[in-house]
Amino acid sequence: MKNVLSCIQPTGDLHIGNYFGAVQNWVNLQDTYKCTYGVVDYHSMTMPYDPALLRENTWKMVFYLLSCGIKRENLFIQGLVPEHVELCWILSCVTSYGELQRMTQFKEKTQQLQEKDKDAFVSAGLFAYPVLQAADILIYRADYVPVGKDQEQHLELSRNIAQRFNHQFGKEYFIHPEPLFTETPKILSPADPNKKMSKSLGEKHYINLFSEEDRIRKQIKSAVTDTGEAVEGEMSPGVKNLFEIIRACGNMAAYDSLMADYTSGALRYSALKEATADALVALIHPFRERLNELNANKTAIQAEIRESSAVIRQRAQETLREVREIVGLC
Ligand code: AMP
Ligand code: TRP
């Protein structure tokens, strides 16, 4: 069975864009591949952060992923597998300064920090971030890495690092990981459907996957449908986004019937919004129930995830034993 690996940063909330764009796909891949999924807390240390909040958000993300259907035995917390950092150091010695300088995410995040404060502290950790990501991938000998297009450059770097390591040490040791770009919907902000749904835009701009029903209904009700720049004969991005959400929820009957209304010119936005909210509420309801169950057994679940991380760590340790041998450590 081929190995799949992917990771997510513990950002606090999981929004429906993350779910439809990534997590739902991760859940489905578990039927076909040997999957390993990480909550990458080391990565979240590369931008300014609060230690207590990092720990809280790491567990929060673990519980969210479990509620969505990620299997416990496939899930680990990166900070519980310190071999990632050791491999990162070793790989950083076969990565050039120049190739890290070309990473667009590094440039964007640096700019983000400097927009807030022109003398902002930009850490070496942020610079080395893609090497840590390569370590995440190579340590488990991943064949496929499901990621969004924004991660394409990091994936390519991971392949280059693997290749350079193999070349430098004269051994075909690391396999070359391939990105897995599954067709997933891109969800837009309900408050500004010209932008991608994202936490960094602010609270109005994302729908938390674990929101109360009322809040979801309110957010959908106030979703922008016409942006004032309507193109004749084209569906506006806000309306398209609501249709996308209904489809992503798998509510094809509602989708087809509302689409027929749209085509005949009889679509009422209020009906579209109600159907969108209904579809989301129905999708999310079992996730919320599972989250409540997991939270009721919080300590036991945390112990299970420590255990699954320990089992996954053995694979990382095996890789490190071989790598240490290859690179000449005692
Ligand atoms: P982020 O924390 O924003 O990097 O997102 C984590 C994952 O969710 C990435 O794999 C993204 O591709 C995916 N994702 C984030 N926002 C959206 C969105 N608005 N629509 C679809 N997928 C998204
Ligand atoms: N950089 C990825 C993101 O921002 C998260 C990530 C870290 C990752 N390590 C990874 C993704 C390894 C895939 C594989 O979304």
Side-chain angles (χ1 to χ4, degrees), residues 8 11 15 17-18 21-22 148 150 185-187 196-197:
I8 190 163
T11 45
H15 59 65
N18 300 136
D150 62 319
K186 182 169 136 192
I187 308 295
K196 203 173 106 164
M197 178 173 288

Side-chain angles (χ1 to χ4, degrees), residues 5-7 9 40 43 105 129 133 136-137 145 147 151:
L5 173 121
S6 201
C7 300
Q9 287 196 51
V40 289
H43 276 92
Q105 186 175 296
Y129 179 114
Q133 181 163 349
D136 299 339
I137 296 168
V145 185
V147 281
Q151 292 298 312

Side-chain angles (χ1 to χ4, degrees), residues 293-310:
E293 282 166 28
L294 294 171
N295 276 329
N297 299 298
K298 193 166 175 184
T299 325
I301 305 294
Q302 286 183 333
E304 285 182 16
I305 293 299
R306 285 184 188 281
E307 179 53 29
S308 68
S309 300

Side-chain angles (χ1 to χ4, degrees), residues 151-324:
Q151 292 298 312
E152 198 169 6
Q153 199 187 26
H154 285 169
L155 245 292
E156 194 174 333
L157 178 71
S158 298
R159 277 208 303 281
N160 289 342
I161 291 177
Q163 204 168 4
R164 192 158 320 111
F165 181 96
N166 293 350
H167 181 74
Q168 195 142 321
F169 297 103
K171 197 176 159 90
E172 270 307 301
Y173 181 71
F174 284 124
I175 53 174
H176 298 184
E178 294 290 335
L180 198 63
F181 298 125
T182 310
E183 206 43 60
T184 55
K186 182 169 136 192
I187 308 295
L188 306 173
S189 154
D192 181 357
N194 291 311
K195 298 196 174 119
K196 203 173 106 164
M197 178 173 288
S198 161
K199 254 194 77 175
S200 54
L201 294 172
E203 285 212 332
K204 281 193 314 209
H205 294 278
Y206 70 97
I207 298 172
N208 183 346
L209 190 58
F210 293 89
S211 278
E212 303 276 343
E213 177 172 340
D214 276 2
R215 177 158 168 80
I216 291 182
R217 292 196 181 278
K218 263 194 211 129
Q219 274 189 295
I220 295 292
K221 211 174 223 170
S222 57
V224 174
T225 41
D226 284 313
T227 41
E229 307 153 16
V231 183
E232 199 46 41
E234 239 181 62
M235 192 185 271
S236 77
V239 173
K240 214 167 160 181
N241 194 36
L242 297 178
F243 272 110
E244 266 311 309
I245 294 174
I246 297 177
R247 190 191 0 220
C249 289
N251 227 340
M252 291 319 287
Y255 180 90
D256 290 341
S257 119
L258 290 159
M259 196 53 93
D261 289 347
Y262 173 80
T263 312
S264 70
L267 177 69
R268 284 178 304 116
Y269 288 158
S270 59
L272 175 64
K273 287 180 170 180
E274 197 173 309
T276 310
D278 286 346
L280 273 177
V281 166
L283 173 89
I284 289 170
H285 183 71
F287 297 166
R288 282 175 54 92
E289 295 221 311
R290 234 173 290 156
L291 184 65
N292 287 336
E293 282 166 28
L294 294 171
N295 276 329
N297 299 298
K298 193 166 175 184
T299 325
I301 305 294
Q302 286 183 333
E304 285 182 16
I305 293 299
R306 285 184 188 281
E307 179 53 29
S308 68
S309 300
V311 172
I312 288 171
R313 184 178 180 189
Q314 291 171 5
R315 288 164 54 202
Q317 283 171 326
E318 177 61 29
T319 302
L320 252 302
R321 261 196 297 278
E322 293 169 357
V323 168
R324 291 175 60 93

